[in-house]
Amino acid sequence: MSQIEVICFGGAEALECSEKYPFARCINYYSINDPLLFVVPSAAKALRTGFMGMGGIKHHKGGGRQSTASSLAALVDPDAEPEFVFLTPRAGDPIVDHGLFGPTYIDALRWEGRRYVTLYLAPWHPILQFAVRKSNSLSDGLTIIFTTILRKTVLPLVALVMMTNLWMKEHIIIPIAIFLSIIWQKMLEWMRIVRGEDVYEPVVIPSDVKAEANAS
């Protein structure tokens, strides 16, 4: 827990360093018109008296700890930070200024973010992040190009091939198959005639016989 940094923006409860919770760093940001100051007595008291509470528990290399929760400790230890930081409201509206991404807390949030990047991220992290963004944008660009090529060229070509195959099937392949089938049947019939085999000849019934059969 001694390596944890706790940062609170307009919290409903003020967080403080103590022997039980020896945070490495504990900061409570409040806009001076934040409505929650009415329900957080310690923050309201700090705003009225100017006693901010500096840093909580200070850790030393030898393993010892020293309580620095006083304004006097801030004068002795320049590294100590106040546990309460009160910000000037930007919007002038308590509801708007209470929002984390509102105009009041957003600057403190950005500052804490820059502090974290400076202290804890490797020097090459921005370069790596830039390379990742560029690779992602390059990947998105290649995807768009591939999709455009597929939509503009490949899909129309596939549709043309399918339409051509359908037309050839209906107008060329099927008629040729029917024609070859007729020729084959004729060739078989001629071969039976040449061999002297019985050849089927359709029987033609005269019209008068058909009329008599129908009359009966």
Side-chain angles (χ1 to χ4, degrees), residues 125-198:
H125 182 267
I127 300 176
L128 181 61
Q129 194 174 26
F130 176 78
V132 170
R133 286 199 302 266
K134 286 299 181 182
S135 63
N136 290 337
S137 62
L138 179 61
S139 177
D140 294 339
L142 291 177
T143 301
I144 294 174
I145 293 174
F146 177 76
T147 304
T148 303
I149 293 175
L150 183 65
R151 187 174 62 251
K152 299 283 187 177
T153 60
V154 178
L155 293 181
L157 181 61
V158 172
L160 178 61
V161 171
M162 293 178 64
M163 293 177 61
T164 303
N165 290 338
L166 181 62
W167 184 87
M168 291 181 62
K169 177 181 178 182
E170 293 180 353
H171 296 83
I172 297 178
I173 297 177
I174 293 179
I176 290 177
I178 295 174
F179 177 72
L180 293 177
S181 176
I182 294 174
I183 292 180
W184 177 250
Q185 294 297 328
K186 290 296 183 181
M187 290 178 62
L188 292 178
E189 184 177 352
W190 292 338
M191 291 176 63
R192 287 196 297 270
I193 293 174
V194 172
R195 293 175 182 174
E197 298 177 357
D198 294 336

Side-chain angles (χ1 to χ4, degrees), residues 17-151:
C17 293
S18 63
E19 293 288 343
K20 184 178 180 180
Y21 302 107
F23 298 120
R25 180 170 176 260
C26 181
I27 306 292
N28 296 274
Y29 285 98
Y30 284 97
S31 173
I32 61 174
N33 66 341
D34 197 310
L36 289 182
L37 289 175
F38 292 103
V39 296
V40 183
S42 58
K45 181 179 179 181
L47 178 60
R48 289 195 307 269
T49 63
F51 182 82
M52 304 303 178
M54 306 303 294
I57 303 301
K58 190 69 177 178
H59 296 264
H60 299 282
K61 293 183 179 179
R65 298 183 299 178
Q66 176 185 357
S67 177
T68 61
S70 68
S71 298
L72 179 60
L75 300 177
V76 178
D77 186 359
D79 294 331
E81 291 183 281
E83 289 185 344
F84 293 96
V85 176
F86 295 99
L87 306 174
T88 302
R90 297 293 183 85
D93 184 340
I95 303 301
V96 176
D97 288 318
H98 174 68
L100 177 61
F101 299 108
T104 301
Y105 290 131
I106 192 64
D107 287 339
L109 184 62
R110 290 194 183 106
W111 185 88
E112 290 289 349
R114 288 193 295 269
R115 177 184 179 276
Y116 177 85
V117 171
T118 303
L119 293 179
Y120 299 109
L121 294 185
W124 56 83
H125 182 267
I127 300 176
L128 181 61
Q129 194 174 26
F130 176 78
V132 170
R133 286 199 302 266
K134 286 299 181 182
S135 63
N136 290 337
S137 62
L138 179 61
S139 177
D140 294 339
L142 291 177
T143 301
I144 294 174
I145 293 174
F146 177 76
T147 304
T148 303
I149 293 175
L150 183 65
R151 187 174 62 251

